[in-house]
Amino acid sequence: MKILLVEDHQGSRRNLQRLIERRGHEVTACGSVEEAETALAVEKFPFLILDWMLPGRSGVELCRELRTQPDGDEPYIWLITGRSDTKALEEALEAGANDYLLKPVDAGRLNLRLSVAERQIRGLAERNESRAALRDYARNMTGILENTTDGFLALDADWKFIYVNPKAASLLDCSRDELLGESFWEKFPKVYGFETDYRKKMAEGAALEFEATDATSNHLFEVHAYPSGRGISVFFRDVNRRKTTEEERLKASKLESLGTLAAGIAHDLNNILTVISGNIGLAQFGAPEGAGTYLPSLSKASRAAEYAAHLSNQLLTFAKGSIPHKQAASVGELLTHACEFALHGSNLRAEIQIAPDLWKAEVDAEQIKQVINALILNARDAMPFGGTVRLQATNQELTPEENSVLAPGHYLKVSISDHGEGITPEVAAKMFDPYFTTKALASGLGLSIGQSVVKKHGGLLHLESSSADGSTFAFYLPATDVKLSAGKVSGRERRFNFDRQRVLVMDDDASIRELTSQLLGTLGYDVTSVPDGVEAVRAYERALRAGEKFQAVILDATVRGGLGGVATIERLRHVDPDVIAIICSGYSDEGALTEFLSYGFRAALPKPFTRTELGDVLQRVIAARRLI
């Protein structure tokens, strides 16, 4: 053990040093308090032996000073004195000495007293090590609490703040000086229920978890409170962002479920509408010449079935945002019809200005109608007391300098203006976000889906301007020079004659197989129908072996519990690389309908289809094959 001996008499100092060192201790000896302080500044001694009377400051004074320092109770201190009166000894103990030794020092008595001191010093060392460990632990805990991302505060039994970490001060919007020593309930009187619940939990010796809001209800806190002695320790965090994220995730999950449901409904509805439309077509084709009075009714039924199919596809677009099936179209008539339809029954009137030389565009007409409908509904909400909605369509040639979002080129610009009170910057920053709405009963999806639809068309939808005089939304669609597709021809006007060419039809719905076979029969085809892909491959192989190859194959994309169209075409191409196949589906967002060539098909036939559409697609693919 290292011992510091302070004795001004050189002979006594040497004698004591020699006696102590005989017990195996390392002794540093010095003759004054100043020398002792120098030694203490360099090294730590667990045992100090101080002469009472020293030149200058005495050993008693040094003992008293050491005890007032941080960790001053750690060393074991002896005072050596020639005074044996009780008052002097009491003064030594009051100064902080653990024991004293009377002069002259007897070697036997010294050894005895050293033995006692050594045992006591070992106990002090263990205590000091535990204290140091606790001090380090407290320092580490304080560092953790000071730097944790959670707020932490401690309250005493009187609900007064005794500790507040920086995060807690930030969350409570107060400085630590404003909180320490103050009453929790005087500072935050709006946290109802905390006191009652906590006292109950503290009586049970259990923790308490709850949620609380501040007085403004702008912050939602997740709170964990624990009994701590007679006080309270509280961890809390602002969970607004997490709650918002959870709500958005839940909404996204609901939307995904809605999309799955909508896709299934749209598929089944399109199958039903295929049967309805097909049978109407058969009735129109087979009606005798004298049945002219029935043909207008059949035409109305056919248009109603088409409208129902449009509604089915709108449902799917709303829920999932399906891939647009674009065709070159004259957009002016489409815009006019969509605007008038959206304003029907409202107290608004439309002012429509379509450029007479408006360029054509490749669009999915039903999806663009949805965009117009969303923008018109937005204008209607902006003018609840009536007014005029202005729709304008013009040609725009964009240069790199004019727009940094769209590629330079030719576009159709469609703008819709209202005369409402305008849109605030805060709303404008969020209005294209999914689910954001300022209306109590709205879904908040109209503008976000509209933006998605226009983007998938290669264009841009944005808020062009807004002021107290009204707002203008505008969207751009790429122009095209593709020729317009020919208009539809009724079943009685269009004539087909295919000289009994052979067609294989695969569909898991028996009514659609029967209908398709009947429609193809009226068009002059020889039809074989099967319920799934496995049977389709077998039928195709048998026909090849018999030298009766099918000129075309129509495959349903989705077969419940069986081999669908995409998997079937892969097998058929192994059997016959030159197979002519058409993909057919009631899912309007089926990827193979849009990218049919990449899947190995020659054409796509969305459900529901008419007799004329069926004949057109077959005539086109077979004629194209003959040109190869």
Side-chain angles (χ1 to χ4, degrees), residues 410-452:
H410 295 81
Y411 292 86
L412 284 70
K413 178 185 178 183
V414 180
S415 59
I416 295 177
S417 306
D418 62 61
H419 298 288
E421 297 179 353
I423 300 172
T424 65
E426 293 78 14
V427 173
K430 300 178 181 179
M431 62 187 177
F432 288 107
D433 293 347
Y435 305 108
F436 176 78
T437 179
T438 58
K439 309 169 191 105
L441 300 178
S443 67
L445 288 169
L447 289 178
S448 62
I449 289 180
Q451 188 181 55
S452 175

Tab-separated table of all heavy atoms in Angstrom, residues 410-452:
chain	number	residue	atom	x	y	z
A	410	HIS	N	-44.712	18.678	-79.196
A	410	HIS	CA	-46.061	19.166	-79.426
A	410	HIS	C	-47.023	18.554	-78.404
A	410	HIS	O	-47.023	17.342	-78.205
A	410	HIS	CB	-46.514	18.819	-80.846
A	410	HIS	CG	-45.712	19.519	-81.912
A	410	HIS	ND1	-44.478	19.058	-82.328
A	410	HIS	CD2	-45.967	20.637	-82.636
A	410	HIS	CE1	-44.002	19.866	-83.269
A	410	HIS	NE2	-44.883	20.842	-83.473
A	411	TYR	N	-47.837	19.418	-77.807
A	411	TYR	CA	-48.766	18.980	-76.773
A	411	TYR	C	-50.127	19.643	-76.962
A	411	TYR	O	-50.232	20.739	-77.538
A	411	TYR	CB	-48.250	19.339	-75.370
A	411	TYR	CG	-47.026	18.580	-74.954
A	411	TYR	CD1	-45.751	19.021	-75.300
A	411	TYR	CD2	-47.124	17.408	-74.207
A	411	TYR	CE1	-44.616	18.317	-74.929
A	411	TYR	CE2	-45.995	16.704	-73.828
A	411	TYR	CZ	-44.742	17.162	-74.184
A	411	TYR	OH	-43.630	16.467	-73.801
A	412	LEU	N	-51.143	18.959	-76.449
A	412	LEU	CA	-52.447	19.569	-76.283
A	412	LEU	C	-52.515	20.089	-74.855
A	412	LEU	O	-52.227	19.349	-73.908
A	412	LEU	CB	-53.577	18.560	-76.490
A	412	LEU	CG	-53.935	18.123	-77.912
A	412	LEU	CD1	-52.834	17.246	-78.515
A	412	LEU	CD2	-55.264	17.380	-77.907
A	413	LYS	N	-52.875	21.356	-74.712
A	413	LYS	CA	-53.027	21.924	-73.377
A	413	LYS	C	-54.511	22.095	-73.085
A	413	LYS	O	-55.227	22.755	-73.835
A	413	LYS	CB	-52.316	23.267	-73.266
A	413	LYS	CG	-52.492	23.922	-71.892
A	413	LYS	CD	-51.874	25.309	-71.841
A	413	LYS	CE	-52.116	25.958	-70.478
A	413	LYS	NZ	-51.589	27.330	-70.419
A	414	VAL	N	-54.969	21.493	-71.988
A	414	VAL	CA	-56.368	21.595	-71.573
A	414	VAL	C	-56.388	22.304	-70.223
A	414	VAL	O	-55.740	21.855	-69.273
A	414	VAL	CB	-57.026	20.205	-71.448
A	414	VAL	CG1	-58.486	20.351	-71.025
A	414	VAL	CG2	-56.915	19.441	-72.757
A	415	SER	N	-57.094	23.425	-70.128
A	415	SER	CA	-57.180	24.171	-68.876
A	415	SER	C	-58.632	24.299	-68.450
A	415	SER	O	-59.534	24.452	-69.284
A	415	SER	CB	-56.542	25.554	-69.020
A	415	SER	OG	-57.174	26.294	-70.041
A	416	ILE	N	-58.861	24.219	-67.148
A	416	ILE	CA	-60.190	24.342	-66.557
A	416	ILE	C	-60.113	25.391	-65.465
A	416	ILE	O	-59.315	25.262	-64.527
A	416	ILE	CB	-60.681	23.001	-65.990
A	416	ILE	CG1	-60.873	21.998	-67.139
A	416	ILE	CG2	-61.970	23.168	-65.201
A	416	ILE	CD1	-61.284	20.616	-66.695
A	417	SER	N	-60.942	26.458	-65.607
A	417	SER	CA	-60.886	27.598	-64.690
A	417	SER	C	-62.201	27.785	-63.968
A	417	SER	O	-63.278	27.542	-64.527
A	417	SER	CB	-60.537	28.883	-65.455
A	417	SER	OG	-59.352	28.733	-66.197
A	418	ASP	N	-62.103	28.212	-62.702
A	418	ASP	CA	-63.301	28.565	-61.939
A	418	ASP	C	-63.163	30.003	-61.456
A	418	ASP	O	-62.129	30.645	-61.649
A	418	ASP	CB	-63.483	27.608	-60.748
A	418	ASP	CG	-62.332	27.673	-59.748
A	418	ASP	OD1	-62.105	28.748	-59.168
A	418	ASP	OD2	-61.657	26.638	-59.534
A	419	HIS	N	-64.217	30.508	-60.832
A	419	HIS	CA	-64.210	31.871	-60.296
A	419	HIS	C	-64.456	31.836	-58.792
A	419	HIS	O	-65.173	32.680	-58.241
A	419	HIS	CB	-65.278	32.718	-60.999
A	419	HIS	CG	-65.039	32.867	-62.466
A	419	HIS	ND1	-64.035	33.650	-62.992
A	419	HIS	CD2	-65.659	32.299	-63.534
A	419	HIS	CE1	-64.057	33.571	-64.317
A	419	HIS	NE2	-65.029	32.754	-64.677
A	420	GLY	N	-63.847	30.848	-58.133
A	420	GLY	CA	-63.972	30.732	-56.686
A	420	GLY	C	-63.028	31.661	-55.952
A	420	GLY	O	-62.483	32.622	-56.526
A	421	GLU	N	-62.783	31.339	-54.667
A	421	GLU	CA	-61.961	32.210	-53.823
A	421	GLU	C	-60.477	31.886	-53.900
A	421	GLU	O	-59.668	32.483	-53.198
A	421	GLU	CB	-62.435	32.101	-52.367
A	421	GLU	CG	-63.870	32.578	-52.165
A	421	GLU	CD	-64.315	32.442	-50.721
A	421	GLU	OE1	-63.546	31.845	-49.928
A	421	GLU	OE2	-65.405	32.922	-50.388
A	422	GLY	N	-60.111	30.946	-54.732
A	422	GLY	CA	-58.705	30.588	-54.863
A	422	GLY	C	-58.270	29.512	-53.890
A	422	GLY	O	-59.040	29.077	-53.026
A	423	ILE	N	-57.040	29.060	-54.022
A	423	ILE	CA	-56.486	27.975	-53.207
A	423	ILE	C	-55.304	28.523	-52.413
A	423	ILE	O	-54.400	29.150	-52.979
A	423	ILE	CB	-56.027	26.802	-54.098
A	423	ILE	CG1	-57.222	26.257	-54.893
A	423	ILE	CG2	-55.382	25.705	-53.283
A	423	ILE	CD1	-56.842	25.229	-55.934
A	424	THR	N	-55.315	28.300	-51.112
A	424	THR	CA	-54.231	28.807	-50.271
A	424	THR	C	-52.935	28.057	-50.573
A	424	THR	O	-52.959	26.904	-51.019
A	424	THR	CB	-54.570	28.621	-48.778
A	424	THR	OG1	-54.648	27.217	-48.488
A	424	THR	CG2	-55.893	29.285	-48.434
A	425	PRO	N	-51.788	28.687	-50.320
A	425	PRO	CA	-50.504	28.005	-50.562
A	425	PRO	C	-50.374	26.701	-49.778
A	425	PRO	O	-49.786	25.735	-50.264
A	425	PRO	CB	-49.463	29.036	-50.106
A	425	PRO	CG	-50.153	30.358	-50.240
A	425	PRO	CD	-51.594	30.094	-49.921
A	426	GLU	N	-50.929	26.648	-48.544
A	426	GLU	CA	-50.839	25.440	-47.738
A	426	GLU	C	-51.597	24.285	-48.394
A	426	GLU	O	-51.116	23.153	-48.441
A	426	GLU	CB	-51.398	25.697	-46.335
A	426	GLU	CG	-50.579	26.659	-45.481
A	426	GLU	CD	-50.813	28.121	-45.859
A	426	GLU	OE1	-51.791	28.409	-46.598
A	426	GLU	OE2	-50.016	28.962	-45.432
A	427	VAL	N	-52.795	24.577	-48.917
A	427	VAL	CA	-53.586	23.544	-49.590
A	427	VAL	C	-52.938	23.170	-50.916
A	427	VAL	O	-52.881	21.991	-51.293
A	427	VAL	CB	-55.039	24.022	-49.801
A	427	VAL	CG1	-55.820	23.024	-50.657
A	427	VAL	CG2	-55.727	24.209	-48.459
A	428	ALA	N	-52.434	24.170	-51.647
A	428	ALA	CA	-51.807	23.911	-52.950
A	428	ALA	C	-50.619	22.969	-52.828
A	428	ALA	O	-50.357	22.157	-53.722
A	428	ALA	CB	-51.371	25.223	-53.588
A	429	ALA	N	-49.909	23.038	-51.690
A	429	ALA	CA	-48.724	22.187	-51.501
A	429	ALA	C	-49.096	20.726	-51.269
A	429	ALA	O	-48.270	19.838	-51.459
A	429	ALA	CB	-47.897	22.704	-50.320
A	430	LYS	N	-50.341	20.452	-50.875
A	430	LYS	CA	-50.736	19.086	-50.507
A	430	LYS	C	-51.842	18.501	-51.367
A	430	LYS	O	-52.161	17.327	-51.232
A	430	LYS	CB	-51.198	19.064	-49.041
A	430	LYS	CG	-50.163	19.509	-48.037
A	430	LYS	CD	-50.762	19.476	-46.626
A	430	LYS	CE	-49.757	19.928	-45.592
A	430	LYS	NZ	-50.345	19.930	-44.227
A	431	MET	N	-52.463	19.296	-52.249
A	431	MET	CA	-53.723	18.851	-52.861
A	431	MET	C	-53.553	17.662	-53.801
A	431	MET	O	-54.531	16.956	-54.082
A	431	MET	CB	-54.374	20.016	-53.611
A	431	MET	CG	-53.556	20.557	-54.757
A	431	MET	SD	-54.305	22.027	-55.415
A	431	MET	CE	-53.084	22.466	-56.653
A	432	PHE	N	-52.334	17.395	-54.286
A	432	PHE	CA	-52.133	16.226	-55.141
A	432	PHE	C	-51.691	14.999	-54.326
A	432	PHE	O	-51.463	13.944	-54.894
A	432	PHE	CB	-51.102	16.518	-56.226
A	432	PHE	CG	-51.609	17.450	-57.299
A	432	PHE	CD1	-51.159	18.756	-57.363
A	432	PHE	CD2	-52.552	17.026	-58.224
A	432	PHE	CE1	-51.627	19.622	-58.333
A	432	PHE	CE2	-53.027	17.882	-59.207
A	432	PHE	CZ	-52.570	19.185	-59.257
A	433	ASP	N	-51.568	15.163	-52.995
A	433	ASP	CA	-51.215	14.025	-52.150
A	433	ASP	C	-52.416	13.096	-52.010
A	433	ASP	O	-53.545	13.561	-51.855
A	433	ASP	CB	-50.795	14.483	-50.753
A	433	ASP	CG	-49.500	15.264	-50.759
A	433	ASP	OD1	-48.816	15.226	-51.798
A	433	ASP	OD2	-49.190	15.910	-49.748
A	434	PRO	N	-52.203	11.771	-52.053
A	434	PRO	CA	-53.327	10.843	-51.845
A	434	PRO	C	-53.998	11.095	-50.502
A	434	PRO	O	-53.322	11.300	-49.497
A	434	PRO	CB	-52.665	9.468	-51.891
A	434	PRO	CG	-51.406	9.676	-52.671
A	434	PRO	CD	-50.945	11.064	-52.337
A	435	TYR	N	-55.305	11.103	-50.497
A	435	TYR	CA	-56.156	11.222	-49.316
A	435	TYR	C	-56.223	12.636	-48.744
A	435	TYR	O	-56.938	12.858	-47.772
A	435	TYR	CB	-55.723	10.252	-48.202
A	435	TYR	CG	-55.662	8.822	-48.639
A	435	TYR	CD1	-54.446	8.180	-48.803
A	435	TYR	CD2	-56.823	8.121	-48.927
A	435	TYR	CE1	-54.376	6.865	-49.232
A	435	TYR	CE2	-56.763	6.807	-49.353
A	435	TYR	CZ	-55.548	6.185	-49.502
A	435	TYR	OH	-55.487	4.897	-49.922
A	436	PHE	N	-55.484	13.582	-49.303
A	436	PHE	CA	-55.606	14.938	-48.781
A	436	PHE	C	-56.876	15.562	-49.333
A	436	PHE	O	-57.108	15.564	-50.536
A	436	PHE	CB	-54.398	15.803	-49.168
A	436	PHE	CG	-54.552	17.239	-48.725
A	436	PHE	CD1	-54.328	17.587	-47.407
A	436	PHE	CD2	-54.966	18.223	-49.616
A	436	PHE	CE1	-54.480	18.894	-46.984
A	436	PHE	CE2	-55.121	19.531	-49.203
A	436	PHE	CZ	-54.874	19.869	-47.881
A	437	THR	N	-57.698	16.101	-48.451
A	437	THR	CA	-58.931	16.744	-48.885
A	437	THR	C	-59.338	17.797	-47.869
A	437	THR	O	-59.014	17.697	-46.683
A	437	THR	CB	-60.075	15.730	-49.055
A	437	THR	OG1	-61.266	16.403	-49.462
A	437	THR	CG2	-60.356	14.983	-47.751
A	438	THR	N	-60.021	18.822	-48.339
A	438	THR	CA	-60.576	19.851	-47.464
A	438	THR	C	-62.074	19.674	-47.314
A	438	THR	O	-62.738	20.519	-46.716
A	438	THR	CB	-60.272	21.249	-48.032
A	438	THR	OG1	-60.823	21.350	-49.358
A	438	THR	CG2	-58.780	21.501	-48.091
A	439	LYS	N	-62.610	18.575	-47.877
A	439	LYS	CA	-64.053	18.345	-47.838
A	439	LYS	C	-64.344	17.189	-46.895
A	439	LYS	O	-63.643	16.175	-46.897
A	439	LYS	CB	-64.585	18.040	-49.238
A	439	LYS	CG	-64.148	19.071	-50.286
A	439	LYS	CD	-64.466	18.610	-51.692
A	439	LYS	CE	-63.785	19.515	-52.698
A	439	LYS	NZ	-62.633	18.919	-53.326
A	440	ALA	N	-65.402	17.321	-46.116
A	440	ALA	CA	-65.715	16.336	-45.078
A	440	ALA	C	-66.016	14.958	-45.652
A	440	ALA	O	-65.633	13.943	-45.085
A	440	ALA	CB	-66.892	16.828	-44.240
A	441	LEU	N	-66.695	14.886	-46.805
A	441	LEU	CA	-67.147	13.603	-47.334
A	441	LEU	C	-66.356	13.140	-48.551
A	441	LEU	O	-66.755	12.201	-49.219
A	441	LEU	CB	-68.645	13.696	-47.699
A	441	LEU	CG	-69.590	14.051	-46.537
A	441	LEU	CD1	-71.015	14.151	-47.047
A	441	LEU	CD2	-69.492	13.015	-45.421
A	442	ALA	N	-65.253	13.795	-48.851
A	442	ALA	CA	-64.471	13.431	-50.043
A	442	ALA	C	-63.404	12.407	-49.689
A	442	ALA	O	-63.012	12.252	-48.534
A	442	ALA	CB	-63.827	14.675	-50.651
A	443	SER	N	-62.945	11.685	-50.719
A	443	SER	CA	-61.925	10.651	-50.500
A	443	SER	C	-60.513	11.201	-50.558
A	443	SER	O	-59.574	10.600	-50.042
A	443	SER	CB	-62.064	9.557	-51.565
A	443	SER	OG	-61.733	10.077	-52.843
A	444	GLY	N	-60.329	12.354	-51.222
A	444	GLY	CA	-58.981	12.895	-51.378
A	444	GLY	C	-58.174	12.179	-52.437
A	444	GLY	O	-56.942	12.261	-52.443
A	445	LEU	N	-58.843	11.470	-53.358
A	445	LEU	CA	-58.126	10.701	-54.381
A	445	LEU	C	-58.281	11.268	-55.789
A	445	LEU	O	-57.541	10.891	-56.686
A	445	LEU	CB	-58.618	9.246	-54.370
A	445	LEU	CG	-58.175	8.406	-53.183
A	445	LEU	CD1	-58.943	7.093	-53.149
A	445	LEU	CD2	-56.695	8.137	-53.222
A	446	GLY	N	-59.260	12.156	-55.990
A	446	GLY	CA	-59.555	12.618	-57.345
A	446	GLY	C	-58.373	13.251	-58.045
A	446	GLY	O	-57.991	12.838	-59.141
A	447	LEU	N	-57.747	14.258	-57.416
A	447	LEU	CA	-56.632	14.953	-58.053
A	447	LEU	C	-55.394	14.070	-58.135
A	447	LEU	O	-54.654	14.129	-59.127
A	447	LEU	CB	-56.313	16.244	-57.300
A	447	LEU	CG	-57.336	17.377	-57.440
A	447	LEU	CD1	-56.916	18.573	-56.595
A	447	LEU	CD2	-57.491	17.794	-58.900
A	448	SER	N	-55.144	13.255	-57.119
A	448	SER	CA	-53.945	12.410	-57.154
A	448	SER	C	-54.056	11.368	-58.265
A	448	SER	O	-53.084	11.093	-58.974
A	448	SER	CB	-53.727	11.726	-55.801
A	448	SER	OG	-54.798	10.868	-55.487
A	449	ILE	N	-55.260	10.779	-58.442
A	449	ILE	CA	-55.443	9.810	-59.521
A	449	ILE	C	-55.396	10.523	-60.867
A	449	ILE	O	-54.815	10.009	-61.832
A	449	ILE	CB	-56.767	9.046	-59.341
A	449	ILE	CG1	-56.640	8.091	-58.148
A	449	ILE	CG2	-57.125	8.262	-60.586
A	449	ILE	CD1	-57.873	7.290	-57.856
A	450	GLY	N	-55.994	11.723	-60.935
A	450	GLY	CA	-55.914	12.489	-62.180
A	450	GLY	C	-54.482	12.772	-62.578
A	450	GLY	O	-54.112	12.648	-63.751
A	451	GLN	N	-53.666	13.157	-61.610
A	451	GLN	CA	-52.251	13.420	-61.891
A	451	GLN	C	-51.551	12.152	-62.377
A	451	GLN	O	-50.738	12.191	-63.313
A	451	GLN	CB	-51.571	13.952	-60.632
A	451	GLN	CG	-50.143	14.434	-60.859
A	451	GLN	CD	-49.524	14.932	-59.570
A	451	GLN	OE1	-49.487	14.227	-58.575
A	451	GLN	NE2	-49.045	16.168	-59.582
A	452	SER	N	-51.877	11.009	-61.737
A	452	SER	CA	-51.275	9.737	-62.142
A	452	SER	C	-51.685	9.360	-63.565
A	452	SER	O	-50.854	8.902	-64.361
A	452	SER	CB	-51.685	8.636	-61.162
A	452	SER	OG	-51.221	7.386	-61.573
